[in-house]
Amino acid sequence: MTGKIWFVGAGPGDPDLITIKGRKLLEESGAVLFAGSLVDQAATLFTPEGCDIRDSKDMTLDEMTDWLIAAANQHETVVRLQTGDPGLYGALIEMTRPLTAAGIEWAVVPGVSSAMASMAAAGETLTLPEVTQTVILTRVAGRTPMPPGEELEALAAHKTTLCIYLSITLLHKVQEALLAAGWSEDSPILVVQKASWPGAEKIVRGTIKDIKRKCQDEKIASQAMIVASPTLGAADWPDLIRSKLYDPTFTHRFRKATEKQND
Ligand code: SAH
């Protein structure tokens, strides 16, 4: 028999944040390979008895694909459970290509990414009318270099929301890049560690200038999202430009304007 391999986004940590489709697949899976360092083991709560569950923490990519192929030869449903969304820093294509080459069917189930979970945890918005309508999901160069043109300094020049993954130990590089792009030292920065993890989430608010020290004080050195955005703190601004979508003078597909439209 040859089963199908599902790359399932587990979400950011809280097991309730997996999709219903992801959970159903876990419930019918014969084998699950989960990304141990970040997927809360709780996500494997949904697997049936007798399911072959393996942590991939210490495996190489080749070992993982070999394991998945062997599992697909024994079970109809095999799940590769990944943190957040499988398509973001998830080595997805590196894993699917050998499966395709081996003639094994695979598909992806999206997940709630940690950028969204971090902003939700802090009660912040990724976009705000006339402030920013763009979100950049990125990282700074570590062992993986950034392709030309994607240096944080260049991206930050747009002054949009920046969700910076995999970079908490490189916070000094983030500070330097934002300053070089013209952000002021007192621009707000948000760091969320273990967003949505029951009992473990930490939210740190600071500025470009002091965020590094604040993270050191909180001993945050891993599993954290850095957000720089002109929207941060908007919940407390004295004035806010209201979203046109909910403006009573704005007609759209689902609602007729109740007052005369201005523009
Ligand atoms: N596919 C994942 C990202 C994997 S890369 C996703 O969509 O979220 C791992 C990086 O994701 C970490 O370095 C950290 O920056 C971020 N991350 C993952 N889980 C997180 C969480 N619960 N809270 C904050 N950041 C998290």
Short mmCIF file of all heavy atoms in Angstrom, two decimals, residues 113-127 132 134-139 152 156 159-168 171 174-175 178 183 186-193 195 202-208 210-211 215 220 224-233:
data_model
loop_
_atom_site.label_atom_id
_atom_site.label_comp_id
_atom_site.label_asym_id
_atom_site.label_seq_id
_atom_site.Cartn_x
_atom_site.Cartn_y
_atom_site.Cartn_z
N SER A 113 0.36 31.01 11.47
CA SER A 113 1.78 31.29 11.66
C SER A 113 2.03 32.09 12.94
O SER A 113 1.15 32.79 13.43
CB SER A 113 2.32 32.05 10.45
OG SER A 113 3.71 32.20 10.60
N SER A 114 3.25 31.97 13.45
CA SER A 114 3.57 32.62 14.72
C SER A 114 3.52 34.15 14.63
O SER A 114 3.34 34.82 15.65
CB SER A 114 4.94 32.16 15.22
OG SER A 114 5.90 32.26 14.21
N ALA A 115 3.65 34.71 13.43
CA ALA A 115 3.54 36.17 13.30
C ALA A 115 2.12 36.60 13.68
O ALA A 115 1.92 37.56 14.43
CB ALA A 115 3.86 36.60 11.88
N MET A 116 1.14 35.87 13.16
CA MET A 116 -0.25 36.20 13.46
C MET A 116 -0.55 35.96 14.94
O MET A 116 -1.22 36.76 15.60
CB MET A 116 -1.19 35.36 12.58
CG MET A 116 -1.25 35.80 11.14
SD MET A 116 0.26 35.36 10.25
CE MET A 116 0.34 36.66 9.03
N ALA A 117 -0.04 34.84 15.44
CA ALA A 117 -0.29 34.52 16.85
C ALA A 117 0.36 35.54 17.79
O ALA A 117 -0.20 35.87 18.84
CB ALA A 117 0.24 33.11 17.16
N SER A 118 1.51 36.06 17.40
CA SER A 118 2.21 37.02 18.25
C SER A 118 1.44 38.34 18.31
O SER A 118 1.28 38.94 19.38
CB SER A 118 3.62 37.28 17.72
OG SER A 118 4.36 36.09 17.77
N MET A 119 0.96 38.79 17.15
CA MET A 119 0.19 40.03 17.14
C MET A 119 -1.13 39.84 17.88
O MET A 119 -1.58 40.73 18.62
CB MET A 119 -0.04 40.49 15.70
CG MET A 119 1.22 40.96 15.00
SD MET A 119 1.95 42.40 15.82
CE MET A 119 1.36 43.72 14.74
N ALA A 120 -1.74 38.69 17.72
CA ALA A 120 -2.99 38.41 18.44
C ALA A 120 -2.75 38.43 19.95
O ALA A 120 -3.52 39.03 20.71
CB ALA A 120 -3.54 37.05 18.00
N ALA A 121 -1.65 37.81 20.38
CA ALA A 121 -1.34 37.75 21.82
C ALA A 121 -1.22 39.14 22.42
O ALA A 121 -1.63 39.39 23.55
CB ALA A 121 -0.04 36.97 22.02
N ALA A 122 -0.65 40.05 21.63
CA ALA A 122 -0.40 41.40 22.13
C ALA A 122 -1.57 42.34 21.87
O ALA A 122 -1.51 43.52 22.23
CB ALA A 122 0.87 41.95 21.49
N GLY A 123 -2.63 41.85 21.24
CA GLY A 123 -3.77 42.70 20.92
C GLY A 123 -3.41 43.77 19.91
O GLY A 123 -3.92 44.89 19.94
N GLU A 124 -2.53 43.41 18.98
CA GLU A 124 -2.06 44.37 17.97
C GLU A 124 -2.58 43.98 16.59
O GLU A 124 -2.95 42.83 16.36
CB GLU A 124 -0.52 44.38 17.93
CG GLU A 124 0.14 44.86 19.21
CD GLU A 124 0.10 46.39 19.37
OE1 GLU A 124 -0.38 47.09 18.45
OE2 GLU A 124 0.57 46.86 20.42
N THR A 125 -2.55 44.93 15.67
CA THR A 125 -3.00 44.65 14.31
C THR A 125 -1.82 44.72 13.34
O THR A 125 -0.90 45.52 13.53
CB THR A 125 -4.10 45.65 13.88
OG1 THR A 125 -4.55 45.31 12.58
CG2 THR A 125 -3.62 47.10 13.88
N LEU A 126 -1.86 43.87 12.32
CA LEU A 126 -0.78 43.86 11.33
C LEU A 126 -0.90 45.01 10.34
O LEU A 126 0.09 45.48 9.80
CB LEU A 126 -0.80 42.52 10.57
CG LEU A 126 -0.38 41.31 11.41
CD1 LEU A 126 -1.10 40.05 10.95
CD2 LEU A 126 1.12 41.09 11.33
N THR A 127 -2.13 45.43 10.07
CA THR A 127 -2.38 46.52 9.13
C THR A 127 -3.29 47.54 9.78
O THR A 127 -4.07 47.20 10.68
CB THR A 127 -3.07 46.01 7.85
OG1 THR A 127 -4.34 45.45 8.21
CG2 THR A 127 -2.25 44.99 7.12
N THR A 132 -0.28 51.49 7.59
CA THR A 132 0.38 50.54 6.68
C THR A 132 -0.62 49.48 6.25
O THR A 132 -1.44 49.04 7.03
CB THR A 132 1.65 49.89 7.27
OG1 THR A 132 2.24 49.07 6.24
CG2 THR A 132 1.38 49.03 8.48
N THR A 134 0.63 46.79 4.44
CA THR A 134 1.57 45.78 3.94
C THR A 134 2.29 45.10 5.09
O THR A 134 2.68 45.77 6.06
CB THR A 134 2.63 46.47 3.02
OG1 THR A 134 1.93 47.17 1.99
CG2 THR A 134 3.57 45.47 2.39
N VAL A 135 2.46 43.79 4.96
CA VAL A 135 3.18 43.03 5.99
C VAL A 135 4.33 42.29 5.31
O VAL A 135 4.11 41.61 4.30
CB VAL A 135 2.26 42.01 6.68
CG1 VAL A 135 3.01 41.23 7.75
CG2 VAL A 135 1.04 42.69 7.26
N ILE A 136 5.49 42.41 5.87
CA ILE A 136 6.65 41.67 5.33
C ILE A 136 7.04 40.60 6.35
O ILE A 136 7.28 40.91 7.51
CB ILE A 136 7.82 42.63 5.06
CG1 ILE A 136 7.44 43.62 3.95
CG2 ILE A 136 9.09 41.85 4.69
CD1 ILE A 136 8.49 44.68 3.65
N LEU A 137 7.07 39.36 5.90
CA LEU A 137 7.51 38.25 6.76
C LEU A 137 8.96 37.96 6.36
O LEU A 137 9.21 37.61 5.21
CB LEU A 137 6.64 37.01 6.54
CG LEU A 137 5.13 37.19 6.66
CD1 LEU A 137 4.41 35.85 6.43
CD2 LEU A 137 4.73 37.74 8.02
N THR A 138 9.85 38.12 7.29
CA THR A 138 11.27 37.97 6.90
C THR A 138 12.11 37.49 8.07
O THR A 138 11.57 37.07 9.12
CB THR A 138 11.80 39.32 6.32
OG1 THR A 138 13.10 39.10 5.77
CG2 THR A 138 11.87 40.42 7.38
N ARG A 139 13.40 37.52 7.90
CA ARG A 139 14.37 37.14 8.93
C ARG A 139 15.65 37.90 8.64
O ARG A 139 15.76 38.53 7.59
CB ARG A 139 14.66 35.64 8.84
CG ARG A 139 15.22 35.23 7.49
CD ARG A 139 15.67 33.80 7.45
NE ARG A 139 16.72 33.57 8.43
CZ ARG A 139 17.19 32.37 8.75
NH1 ARG A 139 16.72 31.30 8.16
NH2 ARG A 139 18.13 32.23 9.64
N LEU A 152 17.48 43.33 5.60
CA LEU A 152 16.44 43.97 6.42
C LEU A 152 16.42 45.49 6.23
O LEU A 152 15.36 46.12 6.20
CB LEU A 152 16.61 43.60 7.90
CG LEU A 152 15.48 44.07 8.82
CD1 LEU A 152 14.13 43.52 8.39
CD2 LEU A 152 15.77 43.71 10.27
N ALA A 156 13.09 47.38 5.40
CA ALA A 156 12.59 48.31 6.42
C ALA A 156 12.35 49.70 5.86
O ALA A 156 11.59 50.48 6.43
CB ALA A 156 13.57 48.37 7.59
N LYS A 159 8.84 51.03 5.59
CA LYS A 159 8.10 51.43 6.80
C LYS A 159 6.75 50.71 6.95
O LYS A 159 5.75 51.30 7.39
CB LYS A 159 7.88 52.96 6.83
CG LYS A 159 9.15 53.79 6.66
CD LYS A 159 9.87 53.92 7.99
CE LYS A 159 11.28 54.47 7.85
NZ LYS A 159 11.42 55.83 7.39
N THR A 160 6.75 49.46 6.58
CA THR A 160 5.54 48.63 6.74
C THR A 160 5.70 47.79 8.01
O THR A 160 6.70 47.90 8.72
CB THR A 160 5.43 47.64 5.57
OG1 THR A 160 6.55 46.75 5.65
CG2 THR A 160 5.44 48.35 4.23
N THR A 161 4.74 46.92 8.26
CA THR A 161 4.89 45.96 9.36
C THR A 161 5.92 44.91 8.97
O THR A 161 5.85 44.32 7.88
CB THR A 161 3.53 45.28 9.65
OG1 THR A 161 2.61 46.29 10.06
CG2 THR A 161 3.65 44.20 10.71
N LEU A 162 6.86 44.68 9.85
CA LEU A 162 7.90 43.67 9.61
C LEU A 162 7.79 42.60 10.69
O LEU A 162 7.91 42.91 11.88
CB LEU A 162 9.29 44.31 9.73
CG LEU A 162 9.66 45.39 8.73
CD1 LEU A 162 10.84 46.21 9.24
CD2 LEU A 162 10.02 44.75 7.39
N CYS A 163 7.54 41.38 10.29
CA CYS A 163 7.51 40.27 11.25
C CYS A 163 8.81 39.50 11.02
O CYS A 163 9.02 38.94 9.93
CB CYS A 163 6.32 39.37 11.01
SG CYS A 163 4.77 40.26 11.22
N ILE A 164 9.64 39.49 12.02
CA ILE A 164 11.00 38.97 11.82
C ILE A 164 11.16 37.66 12.59
O ILE A 164 11.15 37.62 13.81
CB ILE A 164 12.04 40.02 12.25
CG1 ILE A 164 11.72 41.37 11.54
CG2 ILE A 164 13.46 39.56 11.92
CD1 ILE A 164 12.46 42.57 12.11
N TYR A 165 11.27 36.57 11.81
CA TYR A 165 11.40 35.23 12.36
C TYR A 165 12.87 34.92 12.61
O TYR A 165 13.77 35.53 12.04
CB TYR A 165 10.87 34.20 11.33
CG TYR A 165 9.39 34.20 11.07
CD1 TYR A 165 8.77 35.25 10.41
CD2 TYR A 165 8.60 33.12 11.48
CE1 TYR A 165 7.41 35.23 10.15
CE2 TYR A 165 7.23 33.10 11.21
CZ TYR A 165 6.65 34.15 10.55
OH TYR A 165 5.29 34.13 10.29
N LEU A 166 13.13 33.89 13.40
CA LEU A 166 14.46 33.25 13.49
C LEU A 166 15.60 34.22 13.81
O LEU A 166 16.73 33.96 13.43
CB LEU A 166 14.77 32.55 12.14
CG LEU A 166 13.88 31.37 11.76
CD1 LEU A 166 13.99 31.09 10.27
CD2 LEU A 166 14.27 30.12 12.54
N SER A 167 15.30 35.32 14.46
CA SER A 167 16.32 36.36 14.57
C SER A 167 16.52 36.88 15.99
O SER A 167 17.23 37.87 16.18
CB SER A 167 15.96 37.54 13.65
OG SER A 167 15.83 37.10 12.32
N ILE A 168 15.94 36.22 16.99
CA ILE A 168 16.00 36.80 18.33
C ILE A 168 17.44 36.89 18.86
O ILE A 168 17.77 37.82 19.59
CB ILE A 168 15.04 36.07 19.32
CG1 ILE A 168 14.87 36.89 20.59
CG2 ILE A 168 15.47 34.65 19.60
CD1 ILE A 168 14.16 38.20 20.44
N LEU A 171 19.26 40.23 17.49
CA LEU A 171 18.50 41.46 17.71
C LEU A 171 19.33 42.72 17.41
O LEU A 171 18.81 43.72 16.94
CB LEU A 171 18.00 41.47 19.16
CG LEU A 171 16.70 42.20 19.52
CD1 LEU A 171 15.61 42.04 18.48
CD2 LEU A 171 16.21 41.74 20.88
N VAL A 174 18.95 43.55 13.88
CA VAL A 174 17.64 44.15 13.61
C VAL A 174 17.69 45.63 13.98
O VAL A 174 17.25 46.50 13.20
CB VAL A 174 16.53 43.42 14.40
CG1 VAL A 174 15.19 44.13 14.24
CG2 VAL A 174 16.42 41.96 13.96
N GLN A 175 18.24 45.91 15.15
CA GLN A 175 18.35 47.32 15.59
C GLN A 175 19.12 48.13 14.55
O GLN A 175 18.66 49.18 14.10
CB GLN A 175 19.09 47.40 16.93
CG GLN A 175 18.26 46.88 18.10
CD GLN A 175 19.10 46.80 19.39
OE1 GLN A 175 20.20 46.24 19.39
NE2 GLN A 175 18.57 47.35 20.47
N LEU A 178 17.15 48.67 11.19
CA LEU A 178 16.02 49.61 11.28
C LEU A 178 16.53 51.05 11.37
O LEU A 178 16.01 51.95 10.71
CB LEU A 178 15.13 49.27 12.48
CG LEU A 178 14.38 47.93 12.39
CD1 LEU A 178 13.62 47.67 13.68
CD2 LEU A 178 13.42 47.90 11.21
N TRP A 183 14.37 54.46 10.71
CA TRP A 183 13.41 54.40 11.83
C TRP A 183 14.05 55.12 13.03
O TRP A 183 15.27 55.04 13.23
CB TRP A 183 13.11 52.94 12.22
CG TRP A 183 12.40 52.12 11.18
CD1 TRP A 183 12.78 51.94 9.88
CD2 TRP A 183 11.20 51.34 11.36
NE1 TRP A 183 11.89 51.10 9.24
CE2 TRP A 183 10.92 50.72 10.12
CE3 TRP A 183 10.35 51.11 12.45
CZ2 TRP A 183 9.80 49.88 9.95
CZ3 TRP A 183 9.26 50.26 12.27
CH2 TRP A 183 8.98 49.67 11.03
N ASP A 186 13.22 55.54 19.07
CA ASP A 186 12.09 55.25 19.96
C ASP A 186 10.91 54.62 19.23
O ASP A 186 9.80 54.56 19.77
CB ASP A 186 11.67 56.51 20.75
CG ASP A 186 11.41 57.69 19.84
OD1 ASP A 186 11.41 57.49 18.61
OD2 ASP A 186 11.21 58.80 20.37
N SER A 187 11.12 54.09 18.03
CA SER A 187 10.06 53.34 17.35
C SER A 187 9.72 52.11 18.17
O SER A 187 10.63 51.42 18.67
CB SER A 187 10.51 52.86 15.96
OG SER A 187 11.01 53.93 15.21
N PRO A 188 8.43 51.81 18.32
CA PRO A 188 8.07 50.64 19.13
C PRO A 188 8.43 49.31 18.49
O PRO A 188 8.36 49.16 17.27
CB PRO A 188 6.54 50.77 19.26
CG PRO A 188 6.11 51.62 18.12
CD PRO A 188 7.26 52.51 17.78
N ILE A 189 8.83 48.38 19.31
CA ILE A 189 9.15 47.00 18.87
C ILE A 189 8.44 46.05 19.83
O ILE A 189 8.40 46.28 21.04
CB ILE A 189 10.67 46.71 18.96
CG1 ILE A 189 11.49 47.69 18.12
CG2 ILE A 189 10.98 45.27 18.57
CD1 ILE A 189 11.47 47.44 16.65
N LEU A 190 7.93 44.99 19.25
CA LEU A 190 7.26 43.97 20.05
C LEU A 190 8.03 42.66 19.91
O LEU A 190 8.41 42.28 18.80
CB LEU A 190 5.84 43.78 19.50
CG LEU A 190 5.00 42.63 20.07
CD1 LEU A 190 4.56 42.96 21.50
CD2 LEU A 190 3.77 42.37 19.20
N VAL A 191 8.25 41.99 21.03
CA VAL A 191 8.82 40.64 20.97
C VAL A 191 7.88 39.71 21.73
O VAL A 191 7.45 40.02 22.84
CB VAL A 191 10.24 40.59 21.60
CG1 VAL A 191 10.70 39.15 21.78
CG2 VAL A 191 11.24 41.35 20.72
N VAL A 192 7.51 38.63 21.08
CA VAL A 192 6.65 37.64 21.75
C VAL A 192 7.35 36.29 21.71
O VAL A 192 7.73 35.81 20.65
CB VAL A 192 5.26 37.53 21.10
CG1 VAL A 192 4.39 36.54 21.87
CG2 VAL A 192 4.57 38.89 21.05
N GLN A 193 7.55 35.73 22.90
CA GLN A 193 8.15 34.40 22.98
C GLN A 193 7.05 33.38 23.24
O GLN A 193 6.15 33.62 24.06
CB GLN A 193 9.17 34.35 24.11
CG GLN A 193 9.94 33.03 24.14
CD GLN A 193 10.95 32.94 25.27
OE1 GLN A 193 10.65 33.33 26.39
NE2 GLN A 193 12.12 32.43 24.98
N ALA A 195 4.43 32.48 21.62
CA ALA A 195 3.07 33.00 21.45
C ALA A 195 2.08 31.84 21.47
O ALA A 195 2.30 30.81 20.81
CB ALA A 195 2.96 33.74 20.12
N LYS A 202 5.45 34.95 26.59
CA LYS A 202 6.00 36.19 27.17
C LYS A 202 5.88 37.31 26.14
O LYS A 202 6.25 37.12 24.98
CB LYS A 202 7.48 36.02 27.48
CG LYS A 202 7.76 35.47 28.85
CD LYS A 202 9.26 35.59 29.14
CE LYS A 202 9.63 34.79 30.37
NZ LYS A 202 11.08 34.74 30.56
N ILE A 203 5.39 38.45 26.59
CA ILE A 203 5.24 39.59 25.68
C ILE A 203 6.13 40.72 26.19
O ILE A 203 6.01 41.13 27.34
CB ILE A 203 3.77 40.06 25.64
CG1 ILE A 203 2.87 38.93 25.11
CG2 ILE A 203 3.62 41.33 24.79
CD1 ILE A 203 1.39 39.22 25.13
N VAL A 204 7.02 41.19 25.35
CA VAL A 204 7.90 42.29 25.74
C VAL A 204 7.71 43.45 24.76
O VAL A 204 7.79 43.27 23.55
CB VAL A 204 9.39 41.84 25.72
CG1 VAL A 204 10.31 42.99 26.10
CG2 VAL A 204 9.60 40.67 26.66
N ARG A 205 7.42 44.61 25.31
CA ARG A 205 7.28 45.80 24.49
C ARG A 205 8.44 46.74 24.79
O ARG A 205 8.80 46.95 25.94
CB ARG A 205 5.97 46.52 24.83
CG ARG A 205 4.74 45.77 24.39
CD ARG A 205 3.48 46.49 24.88
NE ARG A 205 2.29 45.74 24.57
CZ ARG A 205 1.68 45.78 23.38
NH1 ARG A 205 2.16 46.55 22.42
NH2 ARG A 205 0.59 45.07 23.18
N GLY A 206 9.02 47.29 23.74
CA GLY A 206 10.11 48.23 23.95
C GLY A 206 10.26 49.10 22.73
O GLY A 206 9.32 49.25 21.93
N THR A 207 11.45 49.68 22.59
CA THR A 207 11.75 50.50 21.43
C THR A 207 13.01 49.93 20.77
O THR A 207 13.67 49.06 21.36
CB THR A 207 12.05 51.95 21.86
OG1 THR A 207 13.18 51.91 22.74
CG2 THR A 207 10.88 52.59 22.58
N ILE A 208 13.32 50.45 19.62
CA ILE A 208 14.54 49.95 18.95
C ILE A 208 15.73 50.05 19.92
O ILE A 208 16.57 49.16 20.00
CB ILE A 208 14.82 50.75 17.66
CG1 ILE A 208 13.70 50.47 16.65
CG2 ILE A 208 16.19 50.42 17.08
CD1 ILE A 208 13.85 51.18 15.32
N ASP A 210 15.81 50.07 23.35
CA ASP A 210 15.92 49.29 24.60
C ASP A 210 15.42 47.84 24.50
O ASP A 210 15.46 47.11 25.48
CB ASP A 210 15.20 50.02 25.75
CG ASP A 210 13.70 50.14 25.53
OD1 ASP A 210 13.16 49.42 24.66
OD2 ASP A 210 13.06 50.94 26.24
N ILE A 211 14.99 47.41 23.32
CA ILE A 211 14.36 46.08 23.24
C ILE A 211 15.36 44.96 23.56
O ILE A 211 15.00 43.95 24.19
CB ILE A 211 13.68 45.85 21.86
CG1 ILE A 211 12.76 44.62 21.91
CG2 ILE A 211 14.67 45.73 20.72
CD1 ILE A 211 11.54 44.73 22.74
N CYS A 215 14.81 42.19 26.46
CA CYS A 215 14.76 40.75 26.16
C CYS A 215 15.80 40.00 27.01
O CYS A 215 15.54 38.88 27.46
CB CYS A 215 14.98 40.48 24.68
SG CYS A 215 13.55 40.93 23.70
N ILE A 220 15.00 36.07 27.12
CA ILE A 220 14.41 35.57 25.87
C ILE A 220 15.52 35.39 24.84
O ILE A 220 16.10 36.37 24.38
CB ILE A 220 13.33 36.55 25.36
CG1 ILE A 220 12.17 36.60 26.35
CG2 ILE A 220 12.85 36.14 23.96
CD1 ILE A 220 11.08 37.56 25.99
N ALA A 224 11.10 33.17 19.55
CA ALA A 224 10.46 34.47 19.71
C ALA A 224 10.32 35.18 18.37
O ALA A 224 11.15 35.04 17.47
CB ALA A 224 11.29 35.33 20.66
N MET A 225 9.24 35.94 18.27
CA MET A 225 8.94 36.74 17.09
C MET A 225 9.26 38.20 17.39
O MET A 225 8.94 38.69 18.48
CB MET A 225 7.44 36.60 16.80
CG MET A 225 6.89 37.42 15.69
SD MET A 225 7.53 36.99 14.07
CE MET A 225 7.35 35.22 14.10
N ILE A 226 9.90 38.85 16.43
CA ILE A 226 10.17 40.30 16.58
C ILE A 226 9.26 41.02 15.59
O ILE A 226 9.24 40.67 14.41
CB ILE A 226 11.64 40.63 16.23
CG1 ILE A 226 12.60 39.76 17.04
CG2 ILE A 226 11.92 42.12 16.44
CD1 ILE A 226 14.03 39.74 16.51
N VAL A 227 8.52 41.99 16.09
CA VAL A 227 7.67 42.77 15.17
C VAL A 227 8.04 44.25 15.29
O VAL A 227 8.05 44.81 16.39
CB VAL A 227 6.17 42.59 15.46
CG1 VAL A 227 5.33 43.37 14.44
CG2 VAL A 227 5.78 41.12 15.44
N ALA A 228 8.32 44.85 14.15
CA ALA A 228 8.49 46.30 14.08
C ALA A 228 7.35 46.79 13.20
O ALA A 228 7.15 46.26 12.11
CB ALA A 228 9.83 46.64 13.45
N SER A 229 6.59 47.74 13.69
CA SER A 229 5.45 48.19 12.88
C SER A 229 4.97 49.56 13.31
O SER A 229 4.88 49.83 14.51
CB SER A 229 4.29 47.20 13.02
OG SER A 229 3.14 47.72 12.37
N PRO A 230 4.61 50.39 12.33
CA PRO A 230 4.02 51.68 12.69
C PRO A 230 2.62 51.53 13.28
O PRO A 230 2.04 52.53 13.71
CB PRO A 230 3.99 52.44 11.35
CG PRO A 230 4.05 51.41 10.29
CD PRO A 230 4.78 50.23 10.88
N THR A 231 2.09 50.32 13.33
CA THR A 231 0.75 50.12 13.94
C THR A 231 0.84 49.84 15.44
O THR A 231 -0.19 49.89 16.13
CB THR A 231 0.01 48.92 13.31
OG1 THR A 231 0.71 47.72 13.69
CG2 THR A 231 -0.08 49.01 11.80
N LEU A 232 2.03 49.51 15.94
CA LEU A 232 2.13 49.07 17.34
C LEU A 232 1.66 50.14 18.31
O LEU A 232 2.04 51.31 18.19
CB LEU A 232 3.57 48.66 17.67
CG LEU A 232 4.09 47.38 17.01
CD1 LEU A 232 5.57 47.16 17.32
CD2 LEU A 232 3.28 46.16 17.43
N GLY A 233 0.83 49.74 19.22
CA GLY A 233 0.32 50.67 20.23
C GLY A 233 -0.93 51.41 19.79
O GLY A 233 -1.47 52.23 20.55
#
